[in-house]
Amino acid sequence: MVGADPDDGGRLGRLARRGAMLLAGTAATLAGLVAGATPVRAEVPTCQLGAYLADLYGVDTRNQTINADVWFWSVCARPELEPIEHFEFINATEHRQVYRASVPRGSQYWTYVKFVGTFRQNFDLRDYPFDQQTVNIIVEDTRDENEFVYTPDVANSTYNHDIKLSDFGITGFRVATRDHRYQTTFGDPRLAHGTGSSYTQFVLDVALSRTDVSIFVRQTWPVFVSFLVAMVSYLLWSAEATPVLTARVGLLGAALFAVVLNLVNLRAAGDLIGTFAGTTLVDQVHLITLGYVLVGVATTALTWWLANRPDGARPRGRARRTNDLIGIVASVVYVALVAGAVAYAVVT
C-alpha cells in the first residue's frame, strides 16, 4: 500500500489560503469602485401635494382658455417646506387666492388653499364636433429640484362630480408630478454655466368629451342633400344630349352653390368657437362633397363630348357606360371617405 505524501497536503492548504485571500481582495476592490461610482446623494426635501377641482366653467375654445376653482393642499414634515407659498401657475392668465389655512396635525403641517383663475389651453378642434379635449392646470415650485420636489397625493385628489358644462362632459381626471427642465440657470451661481436647471411641477389634467354630437347633423345636412342631388345627375340620360346636359349642369350648379354657401357660413360662425383657423371634420365633409360635385361636372362634360364627337363618331353606348362607371366609383369613394373621416374622429 502506497502512503500519501504529507508535502502534497501542505501545498494544497497553501493554495487554498492564497485563493481565499485573492477573492477577498477582489471583492474589496469592486466594492470600492461601486461606492466611488455611485455616491450617495442627500435626500431632497418633499411634501405631499393634492388638489380638488371644485368647479370648471367658461370652456372657451375660441380664446383657448378655461375658468376653474381649485383647492390645493400640502402635508409637510416642517412648516418652512410648505410648497403653496412657492406656487407659480405656469399657464394662468390670471388667478387669485380666496382662502388659506394652515393647521398642525401631530408631527406634520397641513395647509389648504383655494384658488380661482383663468388658464390657457391648447384645444385641438380637428375632430370637431366629435372632439375630446384634455385641459390642465400646471403649478411649479420656485425652488429647483435640488432644493424641493412634489410628491402627488393621488389617492385624495379628485373633482366635483356635479360639475355641469354646456358642451362637454368630464370623462377623466388625474394629478401627477414631473420635472421641467429649462435651458438656463436663471443666473444661479451654484450651477455651472450652460447646464440648465430643473424644477418640479404638479399637473392637474381633466379629460373632456363633447356631448352635443347633433351639431354634426345640423352643420352637414345641406351637404348631404347636395351629394344626393349631384348623384341624381348621373341618372339623367336621354337620346338628346343637349337637354340632358342643361338639366345636369343645373343640378350640379345648385349642389355646388349649396356646398360653398354652407361652408362660408360655417367658417364665419367658426370664428365664434375657435374653429376658423384650422380644418375640422365638418370642413373635411364639405371639401369631400365639393370634390364629388366637381367630378360630376367633369363627367357631364366628358359624356357630352363622347356623345357629340366632332369627327362624326357618336358612340352613345360608350358615353352611357362611362357615365355610369364614373358615377358608381365616385359615389362609393365619397361614402368611404366621409365614413372614414367620421370614424377616425369618433375613435381618436
Side-chain angles (χ1 to χ4, degrees):
M1 180 177 181
V2 180
D5 189 346
D7 291 337
D8 292 341
R11 284 195 297 271
L12 290 175
R14 288 192 297 273
L15 288 173
R17 287 192 295 272
R18 289 174 182 173
M21 293 174 64
L22 180 61
L23 289 175
T26 302
T29 301
L30 290 175
L33 290 174
V34 171
T38 56
V40 179
R41 178 184 173 183
E43 185 176 353
V44 178
T46 185
C47 290
Q48 199 170 48
L49 182 65
Y52 174 72
L53 181 63
D55 200 4
L56 177 66
Y57 52 98
V59 178
D60 187 345
T61 55
R62 179 178 183 273
N63 294 314
Q64 302 277 295
T65 59
I66 62 169
N67 296 325
D69 300 352
V70 189
W71 284 94
F72 291 97
W73 64 84
S74 65
V75 178
C76 302
R78 304 192 306 274
E80 64 271 16
L81 294 177
E82 195 272 293
I84 301 177
E85 190 71 29
H86 298 270
F87 266 6
E88 179 186 0
F89 285 89
I90 298 300
N91 63 329
T93 300
E94 59 179 359
H95 70 279
R96 70 181 189 277
Q97 178 181 306
V98 296
Y99 185 82
R100 178 187 177 90
S102 186
V103 183
R105 289 287 190 261
S107 61
Q108 297 178 311
Y109 295 86
W110 174 41
T111 301
Y112 52 100
V113 181
K114 183 178 182 180
F115 288 96
V116 299
T118 301
F119 303 91
R120 299 181 300 276
Q121 307 297 318
N122 292 312
F123 291 109
D124 184 353
L125 298 172
R126 288 175 294 179
D127 294 333
Y128 172 86
F130 298 101
D131 53 316
Q132 300 180 20
Q133 307 292 339
T134 298
V135 298
N136 52 59
I137 298 171
I138 306 172
V139 296
E140 182 178 281
D141 201 89
T142 56
R143 298 162 289 187
D144 68 35
E145 64 176 1
N146 295 313
E147 298 178 277
F148 183 83
V149 293
Y150 296 137
T151 298
D153 186 359
V154 177
N156 293 306
S157 297
T158 186
Y159 68 98
N160 179 6
H161 287 70
D162 292 329
I163 294 175
K164 303 296 182 184
L165 299 170
S166 58
D167 296 327
F168 293 93
I170 297 178
T171 58
F173 177 91
R174 78 180 187 101
V175 296
T177 59
R178 66 189 184 192
D179 292 334
H180 182 75
R181 184 160 188 83
Y182 293 95
Q183 301 302 316
T184 178
T185 62
F186 297 99
D188 190 340
R190 298 172 306 162
L191 303 176
H193 175 70
T195 59
S197 55
S198 295
Y199 292 79
T200 184
Q201 289 186 345
F202 180 89
V203 183
L204 185 154
D205 285 332
V206 183
L208 304 177
S209 179
R210 198 177 294 272
T211 54
D212 187 10
V213 295
S214 65
I215 297 173
F216 180 74
V217 176
R218 295 197 301 270
Q219 294 185 345
T220 57
W221 72 263
V223 178
F224 293 129
V225 171
S226 298
F227 161 69
L228 293 175
V229 170
M231 186 173 62
V232 167
S233 71
Y234 287 100
L235 303 178
L236 297 180
W237 196 264
S238 74
E240 296 295 329
T242 302
V244 171
L245 173 67
T246 303
R248 290 180 64 159
V249 169
L251 286 176
L252 292 169
L256 186 63
F257 177 77
V259 172
V260 173
L261 180 63
N262 197 56
L263 180 60
V264 170
N265 289 336
L266 288 178
R267 297 301 282 175
D271 190 40
L272 300 176
I273 60 173
T275 61
F276 182 79
T279 301
T280 68
L281 172 64
V282 174
D283 295 331
Q284 294 175 35
V285 172
H286 278 73
L287 295 176
I288 294 171
T289 307
L290 185 62
Y292 179 82
V293 174
L294 292 177
V295 169
V297 173
T299 304
T300 300
L302 175 62
T303 54
W304 183 86
W305 179 82
L306 289 174
N308 299 272
R309 292 178 61 175
D311 58 4
R314 298 184 178 185
R316 293 184 179 277
R318 180 183 176 185
R320 181 65 185 270
R321 289 193 299 273
T322 301
N323 174 80
D324 294 345
L325 177 62
I326 295 177
I328 292 172
V329 172
S331 299
V332 171
V333 170
Y334 174 85
V335 172
L337 289 175
V338 171
V342 172
Y344 180 82
V346 172
V347 171
T348 58

